[in-house]
Amino acid sequence: MEENIQDYFLCDSCAGKDFKLVYNFSLRFHGVNFSDELIYDKLIEEIYQCTRCQKTFTKAEIEEGLARIKKAHRHV
């Protein structure tokens, strides 16, 4: 019989497992050598917010946490 194990990424502040996606929108302005005009890049940052304590995590932090969970279950 095959066993299923489900493990969650948990908030390291409150152990909550529910998160909501929050977006930040910004423009980054910078100069270039060939013009006096500023050019800009549009940036959209995705962050995940714990629904219990409001702590935020980047996508990279979530992926690192999931990798640790995966690694821990390899040694079981």
Side-chain angles (χ1 to χ4, degrees), residues 32-46:
V32 291
N33 291 338
F34 56 84
S35 174
D36 290 337
E37 297 289 322
L38 290 175
I39 61 171
Y40 66 91
D41 300 314
K42 181 171 66 171
L43 305 170
I44 300 172
E45 181 183 14
E46 294 180 350

Side-chain angles (χ1 to χ4, degrees), residues 17-70:
K17 69 175 176 72
D18 297 324
F19 298 84
K20 64 181 177 180
L21 188 56
V22 179
Y23 293 98
N24 288 325
F25 302 96
S26 65
L27 297 175
R28 180 178 53 200
F29 294 91
H30 53 91
V32 291
N33 291 338
F34 56 84
S35 174
D36 290 337
E37 297 289 322
L38 290 175
I39 61 171
Y40 66 91
D41 300 314
K42 181 171 66 171
L43 305 170
I44 300 172
E45 181 183 14
E46 294 180 350
I47 53 176
Y48 297 85
Q49 185 177 53
C50 175
T51 59
R52 185 184 292 171
C53 74
Q54 314 325 271
K55 181 174 179 180
T56 58
F57 297 86
T58 64
K59 189 172 186 174
E61 290 170 324
I62 299 284
E63 291 299 329
E64 289 169 12
L66 293 174
R68 284 192 298 274
I69 292 170
K70 208 168 19 175

